Amino acid sequence: NVDGALFALERGVQAAPKAHDLWIEYGELLAYKDNRPLAIKAASKALDDPLVRPRALNLIVSVAQNYFDEGMLADALKVLHVAKSYQKKKESLAWLRAQISVTTNQPLESVHWLKIVLRLDPLHQEALKLYQKLSGYEPIKRRPTKKMSAPSKSSKRKWWSRDA
């Protein structure tokens, strides 16, 4: 009876808002029912307690991964931001950030998150492959186009002319 359990947990968190173990139980059931926004809110309440923090972070990763798998990258990022500084301390959070950066074609951001993943798990094979592929990335330096360049002294045409 998931609905009955949700009702009881909702009453529990209202009666004891500092009961982090109730918040994470509530959040996990909400995620099971695919109520992602409320599940993330509950997980964020549980982050303050070191005893339930691992479960809260796993819930955050799970919900963010679901959004990522569905192509809802902005929502996945919003969820990951709930984890605050733990993004740089938990490999699965950093790995998801790296995947989002790669998917959105942000090579410098991708390399940043891949470095974090590899610091946390030096043997992460997928991160190693991606890092090797992207670490040689250098931004393309653009040269000004002819329309933007200054006129040369030898040119008789004016820089604003059509033929320049």
Side-chain angles (χ1 to χ4, degrees), residues 27-40:
E28 288 170 344
L29 275 179
L30 287 166
Y32 175 77
K33 293 285 283 184
D34 203 31
N35 188 337
R36 297 174 191 175
L38 284 180
I40 291 305

Side-chain angles (χ1 to χ4, degrees), residues 40-156:
I40 291 305
K41 182 178 179 182
S44 72
K45 302 275 188 182
L47 278 176
D48 295 334
D49 186 346
L51 296 175
V52 294
R53 185 177 300 132
R55 288 173 63 191
L57 292 173
N58 287 338
L59 179 57
I60 289 168
V61 169
S62 174
V63 171
Q65 185 69 52
N66 287 340
Y67 280 131
F68 177 76
D69 292 343
E70 294 170 4
M72 301 171 74
L73 304 180
D75 291 324
L77 272 176
K78 281 185 209 174
V79 169
L80 290 172
H81 283 297
V82 170
K84 303 174 191 157
S85 65
Y86 296 108
Q87 293 177 82
K88 295 182 178 182
K89 297 175 184 172
K90 185 167 173 63
E91 174 267 328
S92 56
L93 290 165
W95 173 237
L96 191 50
R97 285 295 306 263
Q99 289 178 298
I100 291 170
S101 298
V102 168
T103 304
T104 57
N105 198 23
Q106 299 176 26
L108 296 176
E109 181 83 2
S110 302
V111 168
H112 167 76
W113 285 104
L114 288 168
K115 284 180 182 178
I116 293 170
V117 171
L118 293 171
R119 179 180 43 82
L120 297 169
D121 180 9
L123 301 176
H124 194 290
Q125 292 302 309
E126 291 174 282
L128 278 168
K129 288 177 188 173
L130 265 176
Y131 181 74
Q132 290 169 346
K133 181 180 175 183
L134 295 174
S135 63
Y137 170 80
E138 288 185 31
I140 299 171
K141 294 180 182 175
R142 297 180 188 256
R143 291 183 292 175
T145 62
K146 284 188 173 187
K147 289 181 181 177
M148 293 174 48
S149 62
S152 63
K153 292 182 180 179
S154 63
S155 175
K156 292 184 179 182

Side-chain angles (χ1 to χ4, degrees), residues 9 13 16-28 45-46 49 51-52 55:
L9 285 168
V13 296
K18 301 243 186 246
H20 300 107
D21 53 335
L22 290 179
W23 277 110
I24 194 60
E25 293 287 337
Y26 183 52
E28 288 170 344
K45 302 275 188 182
D49 186 346
L51 296 175
V52 294
R55 288 173 63 191

